Amino acid sequence: MRERMYAITTPEEADAFIDSQPVTAIFKAGTCHKTMQGWGNVEKILRERPEIPVGIIKVVEDRPASNRVAERTQIVHHSPQIILFRNGEPLFELNNWDITPENLEHLFREHLPEVQVENPQTGGKSNLEPYKRLLDAYLSGAVSEPQFTWTYLNMFREDASLRSQEEFTLLNSLFGNPDEHHIHPRAILQYEQENPQATPLRERVQALRAQLDTL
């Protein structure tokens, strides 16, 4: 399956990405809690629409890329912000706390009614592709460590009960979890902070990514 998350770091990359597909999305990521919550909502919506690529701009590090999007679209910069494009033209934007599941779902259905929504877990068939794409996005630098961590844990919380014991054990191994059977993201984040692991997260992600290919 085609990778759908891309790190955008320059104005030229922003232009090329927006024009690369008939439908694209740009997410401007800051460093605050709003960004983590907004990104989690965006990732969930796009997880169900895997044909739509999303370009991620870290506005602190790559502000010229963000400025280029604002200049091109005449949409005032916010962080976080999502802009959906069709044929290079913006269809809608959402900013800050307005990036909610309800607003996203309404606008995607309004502007892209022809895009079929996929259920990542249909017919009891296991699908690890959303995890693989998220791991790849983190390893490529498209998403930051806090954004990756929050998205991963919330994704796992949503489908942990649908996983086989083998998959659950493997996916649950990435972070320290004081509860062997349930996924509580905030509790896991607190546990990780209080009990730091010797192996850096990037190395753990690389090992998990390789293991997922064996299932």
Side-chain angles (χ1 to χ4, degrees):
M1 182 177 293
R2 173 177 52 82
E3 174 58 64
R4 62 183 180 90
M5 298 180 191
Y6 301 84
I8 296 176
T9 62
T10 67
E12 294 76 17
E13 288 178 357
D15 280 332
F17 174 79
I18 291 169
D19 295 327
S20 66
Q21 302 286 336
V23 177
T24 58
I26 290 282
F27 182 80
K28 295 186 179 183
T31 57
C32 64
H33 180 68
K34 286 189 299 184
T35 285
M36 287 191 287
Q37 179 170 312
W39 166 247
N41 294 334
V42 167
E43 197 284 330
K44 183 177 179 181
I45 290 292
L46 293 178
R47 193 192 322 163
E48 299 170 347
R49 297 165 172 83
E51 71 276 30
I52 301 176
V54 56
I56 301 169
I57 300 176
K58 297 180 182 179
V59 296
V60 174
E61 297 96 325
D62 303 309
R63 190 57 185 261
S66 175
N67 290 344
R68 173 56 186 151
V69 174
E71 175 189 8
R72 171 173 174 152
T73 61
Q74 298 301 299
I75 293 174
V76 175
H77 164 77
H78 288 271
S79 173
Q81 179 179 69
I82 179 170
I83 305 173
L84 186 70
F85 295 84
R86 186 198 291 274
N87 297 324
E89 297 297 325
L91 293 175
F92 71 77
E93 61 165 310
L94 284 173
N95 307 307
N96 301 307
W97 296 115
D98 289 334
I99 305 175
T100 65
E102 296 77 15
N103 287 342
L104 287 165
E105 190 63 46
H106 170 74
L107 288 170
F108 269 89
R109 289 187 182 279
E110 177 183 353
H111 291 281
L112 296 175
E114 76 282 5
V115 175
Q116 184 175 357
V117 178
E118 295 184 6
N119 186 340
Q121 208 70 27
T122 57
K125 182 180 179 181
S126 177
N127 181 6
L128 291 167
E129 289 302 322
Y131 288 94
K132 293 178 181 179
R133 291 195 297 270
L134 180 58
L135 294 171
D136 288 340
Y138 168 65
L139 292 172
S140 72
V143 298
S144 68
E145 185 168 308
Q147 292 159 5
F148 164 77
T149 300
W150 187 250
T151 302
Y152 182 95
L153 291 174
N154 279 280
M155 183 190 300
F156 191 25
R157 179 188 62 181
E158 291 174 6
D159 75 359
S161 63
L162 303 175
R163 296 289 164 189
S164 67
Q165 185 59 50
E166 180 183 16
E167 289 178 353
F168 180 91
T169 299
L170 187 56
L171 294 171
N172 195 39
S173 69
L174 186 58
F175 297 100
N177 186 359
D179 189 326
E180 296 181 359
H181 305 290
H182 300 93
I183 309 302
H184 303 290
R186 294 191 185 280
I188 292 174
L189 288 173
Q190 182 177 354
Y191 184 84
E192 280 275 312
Q193 191 172 29
E194 296 172 351
N195 303 272
Q197 299 191 42
T199 305
L201 178 60
R202 176 169 290 274
E203 293 182 21
R204 283 145 48 199
V205 168
Q206 289 172 333
L208 176 60
R209 182 64 179 86
Q211 287 176 293
L212 291 184
D213 277 338
T214 69
L215 295 183

